[in-house]
Amino acid sequence: MVTGTSVVAFKYRDGVMMAADCLGSFGSQARFRNENRFMQVGSNTLLGASGDISDFQYMKHALDDLLTHEYDMDDGQSLGTKSVYKYVSNVMYGRRNRFDPLWNAYVVGGVDGGEAFLG
């Protein structure tokens, strides 16, 4: 199991700042030194993940499917930061209730309606 460590995020008056290292560890071995643990979701949202990299890939695929569905709707609406946060929370809750949890901790940050959001 390849894992990543901490993601740090700060909310300030004009936005959100997030940082993480790029090390993917296989047990105690520093195996992968260029793992990206952030995903841009839409134009104003950033998702950061620590924990199991394969579970993060699962969440990335789920969010890509959601963004594709949102794009196909062609209704002029875009997915906001709070909506992404709620979606990630619901996916995590659903997997935990099926006794197949995602072994991650996620940070969702961005600007939603001119207001900085961090969750």
Side-chain angles (χ1 to χ4, degrees):
M1 175 186 332
V2 178
T3 59
T5 57
S6 302
V7 175
V8 178
F10 301 99
K11 177 181 170 184
Y12 57 96
R13 184 181 64 209
D14 298 326
V16 174
M17 180 174 60
M18 298 174 70
D21 65 349
C22 56
L23 179 67
S25 299
F26 187 75
S28 62
Q29 180 183 16
R31 179 76 172 103
F32 303 102
R33 298 186 186 275
N34 197 18
E35 286 293 323
N36 185 9
R37 293 188 286 122
F38 289 114
M39 176 188 181
Q40 182 177 351
V41 184
S43 59
N44 297 323
T45 305
L46 189 63
L47 174 72
S50 65
D52 189 18
I53 298 297
S54 63
D55 286 345
F56 179 46
Q57 290 171 341
Y58 172 85
M59 184 64 75
K60 284 168 60 173
H61 290 297
L63 285 167
D64 281 337
D65 290 344
L66 179 67
L67 289 172
T68 301
H69 183 263
E70 183 70 27
Y71 178 77
D72 289 343
M73 294 293 286
D74 196 24
D75 59 0
Q77 300 292 320
S78 62
L79 207 56
T81 304
K82 292 178 184 176
S83 298
V84 171
Y85 175 75
K86 188 66 174 175
Y87 179 79
V88 170
S89 297
N90 287 340
V91 169
M92 295 286 286
Y93 181 75
R95 289 287 300 261
R96 192 169 55 246
N97 282 339
R98 289 193 309 262
F99 298 101
D100 186 20
L102 297 176
W103 296 98
N104 293 102
Y106 292 104
V107 177
V108 178
V111 178
D112 198 6
E115 176 183 329
F117 176 81
L118 182 61

